[in-house]
Amino acid sequence: MKKNSARAEVSTIGMDLGDKYSRICVLDGAGEVVEEGRIPTSATGLVRKFKSLERHRIVIETGTHANWVHDLLVGMGHEVVVANARKLHAISANERKCDELDARMLARLGRSDLRLLQPVTVRPAQMRADLCLIHAREALVEARTALVNSARGLAKTTGERLPTCAAASLYKHKLEVKLEPALRPLMTALEALEGQIKECDNRIAELSRTRYPQTALLRHVKGVGPITSLYFVLAIADPKRFTDGRDVGAFFGLVPRRDQSGAQDPQLRISKCGDPLGRALLVQCTHYILGHFGPDSDLRRFGQRLEAQGGKRAKKRAIVATARKLAVLRVALLRKSEVYEPLRNSAKSQAS
């Protein structure tokens, strides 16, 4: 470690987390650098450095190691601020970017208005662990898709076509003799993957039933299944942290970007910030709600009205807007613990 002065009062610590080592910068009450250095990104290294210190404000960025580092430092009694990395353009756009300067910038931003960092809320450790199960299932599904595509592509090169069926059942079909040597290993892998995916589905259903019973409220909406409902509950963590329920649309990146200047205020695409898997699940549910088999509901009527307006991207706009409305509805159901009524707004309009 390198000490630059002997000031006693320490105000803020900025820490740029790396995979093996992290850079730290310690500022005193006057904003002067009192210590800079490198420590191992491990529980042992962090405990050795921060355990003996009094309570300090430590600023880190979102990233792979942010969650467990946050929990460890909070457990030592420190105030930990997890800054939104997407908003720290002073770091990412720096022409002389390096880990040392990044840690220094985090420390200085931590001394000023914390709203500049747009701090994120760290989910409880148990919720993060349960969320990993859904992400693991998603990785298995992606691997299955890749294997199915490879098998179908290889079959076409020989002039054959594999039967049209769901990806989950492709391995059950009999192969042509000339395809057997090449595709049998893929079919064996597909069968193993399918077993693992089913096991994940069973564990997700068990978690929903035992640890997160509030997911049952969300499954009252037709098109919302156990995976989507559990993922939403885990992603939101505490629905009451949204002062305005409509902010959840921005949380999943379903609101339009904006680049207004003077009289110019162009209409832009959605931001796609936040959780990509959560956004994809919301859109999948919306496709069912607006599809041929979707039952009549306020959500369906809302999307159909938007789609009827016509235009080049009317259908896409309708799907995104309905997905955003579905997210707001889910937060309301969780906050109020209410049972979903498909035609609640329509009934109110008729009564009035």
Side-chain angles (χ1 to χ4, degrees), residues 191-256:
E191 184 176 4
L193 280 175
E194 189 58 32
Q196 293 296 322
I197 291 171
K198 287 181 179 178
E199 184 178 341
C200 287
D201 290 341
N202 293 335
R203 292 172 62 188
I204 288 170
E206 180 67 17
L207 275 178
S208 299
R209 185 168 56 255
T210 58
R211 192 173 292 164
Y212 304 101
Q214 63 268 42
T215 56
L217 294 171
L218 305 184
R219 290 197 299 274
H220 289 157
V221 182
K222 296 297 182 183
V224 177
I227 296 173
T228 305
S229 58
L230 179 60
Y231 193 89
F232 191 85
V233 168
L234 295 175
I236 295 299
D238 180 13
K240 294 182 180 178
R241 68 190 177 99
F242 295 97
T243 53
D244 186 343
R246 287 174 292 187
D247 291 341
V248 72
F251 179 82
F252 286 107
L254 288 168
V255 295

Side-chain angles (χ1 to χ4, degrees), residues 76 279 288 349:
M76 297 181 203
R279 183 168 58 252
Y288 177 84
S349 299

